[in-house]
Amino acid sequence: MRRFFLITGALIVLMIMPQATVWAEDAEFTPAQMKQIRKMFEEWSKQQRQQQPPPAAGSVARPPAPPATMRSSVPGMGDTTKQSIRYGQEFSGGSGLQGGRTIYARPFVKAPKTILGGYIDFTLTKCDNGGARDCDKKSGFDQERFVPFFYSQVTDRLSVAAELEVEHGGPQGNQGDGDIKMEFATMDYRFNDAFNLRGGIILVPMGRFNMIHDSPLNDLPLRPMVSRSILPSTFAESGLGFFGTFYPTALSKIDYEMYVVNGFVGDNGQLNDGAGTRSSRGSLKKDNNENKAIVSRVSFSPMLGVEVAGSVHHGKWDKKDKYDLTLWAIDGALQRGPFELMGEAAWGNAEGPTYTVVEEGTTVFTSDDDDSLRRRGMAAEEKVFRLPENMFGYYVQLNYHFMPEGLTRALPSYFGQDSTFTGILRWGKADANTDSDLNNSTDEERLTLGLNFRPIEDSVIKFAYTWNRRGVNNPMGATDHNGFQFNLSSYF
């Protein structure tokens, strides 16, 4: 009996000592809470004495486990499927302050579960005769992109993912050539493979390249022209929709995405054949009209290494909900052994007046079927634009992967089993207004020859040379803008 009271007394001392037990290490108890804890323990101890006989002679008594309601339910790091953080108890969601510790009263502090990664992209380029798209006339180093990626599996069904892109080193007060922007930021709720909900800043599923635009994924330093002016990668919009995957057979699959988004904005000359659709990408904060755009992509893979897809984007581009802008695209990829063949083609059609003049922020629309008004405006150095009524562009790319065995044997620390060289040939063309011959900046064709080395799959050193011809249909003649590109890219 004496030993029983000694054990009971010791347990009471343990209960009233703050943070003396494992289950109290995450809490700071107030005097009122401590009083309630002591009362609960006294009642529990009394019940135990009434229901259980004293321990037999020679047995070792163990202190009981804390009541289930008082144990910490905070999961360990990486546990994302059994969370039961109780607001107001383990985590105070604004219901109570904790002095200077309030800044830490967040669930991800107690249960960290976010993955941080990203990629880096560094480039050296030089192109002749005034430069080409993405290739300046002067050789220069460019810290082109630094892109942190965040991913969190909040529950077994809810996940959050985002990319924050820092371009050209970010904004610099004395230069003004850098930028920081959200590449995408989405919340996904998974029902099953075939049906899932997504909302946020969505990476728009138009064509193949926009979905895999990360520099370490691509074998050439420059992006295809069709993906810069007709389909404006990187292309993201605020919206809501669904995505999923079906498996018709054991070897085939169908992927789909479908979203309602804000759409394009082109009222003040943003939508023009000098930049294609690139300058008319919509706001991530608000819509310029009440007519939402719809975007969708469906891809079919009959077997591993083969994929074909089609996508469409349709909506109003003006404030008055009068004019449609529609983009279509088809893309595909074929991989057999060391060879890869991929490509993409896109078409666009914009309704509305053919000719615009922007004067002090006001847009004046004028009919100009033969470009005559536009030619006079350009001669007078007015700020004039022609609507890209019809657009078209495409690219075709062939890759060949190889790794000489002699290099692997001679220098295994440099050329390992995961290393590979890739030879690349790409041909592409883009015309942001097939009805006009004056859109020199995007009426362009390009041939690129490249070679890269991947020490591992996620990192690449690229070199390429491009032959650019701009103003292909211009009656004044085309101009050449040839040059080289060097690039370092890696995931981290």
Side-chain angles (χ1 to χ4, degrees):
M1 181 66 68
R2 180 182 179 184
R3 181 167 50 186
F4 170 75
F5 285 111
L6 286 175
I7 293 172
T8 304
L11 290 175
I12 293 174
V13 172
L14 290 174
M15 287 300 299
I16 65 176
M17 291 177 62
Q19 302 188 29
T21 58
V22 211
W23 47 269
E25 64 182 2
D26 288 316
E28 295 285 349
F29 298 114
T30 65
Q33 289 172 331
M34 289 301 302
K35 182 177 179 181
Q36 185 178 10
I37 290 172
R38 283 194 292 269
K39 182 178 179 180
M40 292 172 61
F41 181 80
E42 289 170 359
E43 293 175 355
W44 173 85
S45 181
K46 182 179 179 180
Q47 293 175 359
Q48 292 297 309
R49 288 196 300 268
Q50 293 174 351
Q51 296 176 6
Q52 297 182 2
S59 64
V60 180
R62 297 172 181 260
T69 57
M70 298 170 60
R71 293 183 192 140
S72 174
S73 58
V74 179
M77 183 179 294
D79 182 358
T80 62
T81 60
K82 299 179 180 179
Q83 299 177 67
S84 56
I85 296 176
R86 294 170 296 178
Y87 286 78
Q89 298 181 41
E90 275 96 1
F91 166 61
S92 177
S95 60
L97 299 180
Q98 300 179 26
R101 294 185 298 275
T102 303
I103 61 172
Y104 305 116
R106 290 170 169 84
F108 47 78
V109 175
K110 290 194 173 187
K113 52 185 171 290
T114 297
I115 298 170
L116 172 63
Y119 71 88
I120 187 172
D121 183 11
F122 173 79
T123 305
L124 169 65
T125 63
K126 185 182 187 311
C127 284
D128 301 327
N129 298 328
R133 184 176 293 274
D134 301 330
C135 185
D136 196 67
K137 62 180 180 180
K138 296 180 180 179
S139 61
F141 297 116
D142 182 7
Q143 177 51 66
E144 197 163 3
R145 300 175 188 89
F146 182 81
V147 185
F149 174 81
F150 307 88
Y151 176 79
S152 181
Q153 190 71 39
V154 183
T155 71
D156 58 343
R157 294 191 179 275
L158 180 64
S159 62
V160 175
E163 276 188 359
L164 183 67
E165 182 171 26
V166 182
E167 293 185 336
H168 314 295
Q172 301 177 66
N174 64 332
Q175 298 295 331
D177 55 359
D179 193 16
I180 298 178
K181 62 183 180 181
M182 190 63 71
E183 189 102 327
F184 70 86
T186 58
M187 290 180 60
D188 293 351
Y189 191 86
R190 186 182 69 85
F191 294 94
N192 49 54
D193 284 347
F195 186 78
N196 305 277
L197 176 67
R198 172 170 292 170
I201 302 174
I202 296 168
L203 193 62
V204 176
M206 279 301 299
R208 177 181 180 81
F209 192 88
N210 196 56
M211 309 304 296
I212 55 169
H213 67 271
D214 291 4
S215 296
L217 284 178
N218 292 287
D219 289 302
L220 289 174
L222 301 186
R223 296 177 175 179
M225 292 175 298
V226 62
S227 302
R228 298 285 286 163
S229 55
I230 315 300
L231 305 177
S233 68
T234 304
F235 188 17
E237 294 192 85
S238 291
L240 179 70
F242 307 97
F243 67 97
T245 302
F246 296 94
Y247 301 93
T249 67
L251 297 177
S252 63
K253 72 184 180 81
I254 297 175
D255 295 305
Y256 77 93
E257 297 182 59
M258 180 178 294
Y259 307 108
V260 178
V261 295
N262 284 340
F264 287 93
V265 175
D267 291 276
N268 291 318
Q270 300 101 319
L271 183 60
N272 64 82
D273 64 358
T277 61
R278 187 164 185 80
S279 299
S280 58
R281 288 174 291 184
S283 168
L284 301 177
K285 177 183 177 180
K286 59 183 180 180
D287 198 350
N288 68 324
N289 53 48
E290 290 297 325
N291 194 306
K292 297 294 180 285
I294 297 176
V295 58
S296 178
R297 181 177 186 266
V298 179
S299 66
F300 175 57
S301 176
M303 63 186 70
L304 189 64
V306 180
E307 183 185 56
V308 292
S311 46
V312 63
H313 188 294
H314 177 78
K316 305 290 186 182
W317 61 265
D318 64 305
K319 292 180 180 179
K320 296 182 179 180
D321 292 350
K322 292 179 61 178
Y323 303 123
D324 288 334
L325 172 59
T326 307
L327 302 175
W328 303 269
I330 57 172
D331 64 84
L334 171 65
Q335 182 174 2
R336 283 292 179 267
F339 290 96
E340 281 182 298
L341 179 64
M342 64 187 70
E344 182 174 314
W347 296 261
N349 176 263
E351 296 179 349
T354 59
Y355 175 76
T356 63
V357 181
V358 178
E359 299 173 347
E360 298 180 355
T362 302
T363 304
V364 180
F365 298 104
T366 310
S367 178
D368 181 30
D369 295 332
D370 59 359
D371 265 350
S372 59
L373 293 175
R374 186 184 186 202
R375 290 175 188 273
R376 288 201 297 270
M378 293 176 67
E381 298 184 351
E382 293 179 349
K383 194 173 183 180
V384 298
F385 303 98
R386 184 177 173 94
L387 194 71
E389 184 176 356
N390 291 293
M391 299 170 278
F392 174 67
Y394 69 93
Y395 82 90
V396 179
Q397 181 173 321
L398 177 65
N399 297 340
Y400 174 67
H401 305 285
F402 63 97
M403 187 69 224
E405 294 184 6
L407 287 177
T408 304
R409 289 195 300 266
L411 299 168
S413 62
Y414 293 95
F415 307 100
Q417 296 298 321
D418 296 327
S419 303
T420 183
F421 287 94
T422 304
I424 311 103
L425 181 66
R426 178 198 285 166
W427 167 259
K429 187 172 183 178
D431 190 345
N433 193 342
T434 59
D435 301 314
S436 174
D437 56 10
L438 294 178
N439 56 321
N440 292 352
S441 59
T442 53
D443 182 5
E444 189 175 4
E445 59 187 23
R446 175 181 292 172
L447 174 66
T448 305
L449 184 64
L451 177 68
N452 68 46
F453 169 65
R454 293 181 181 271
I456 59 173
E457 183 64 27
D458 294 339
S459 303
V460 58
I461 303 170
K462 313 175 191 178
F463 180 82
Y465 193 88
T466 62
W467 290 266
N468 300 275
R469 287 182 63 80
R470 179 178 293 174
V472 178
N473 300 314
N474 195 319
M476 303 298 294
T479 56
D480 295 330
H481 306 269
N482 306 331
F484 73 91
Q485 301 85 44
F486 174 78
N487 177 270
L488 301 173
S489 302
S490 181
Y491 283 113
F492 59 82

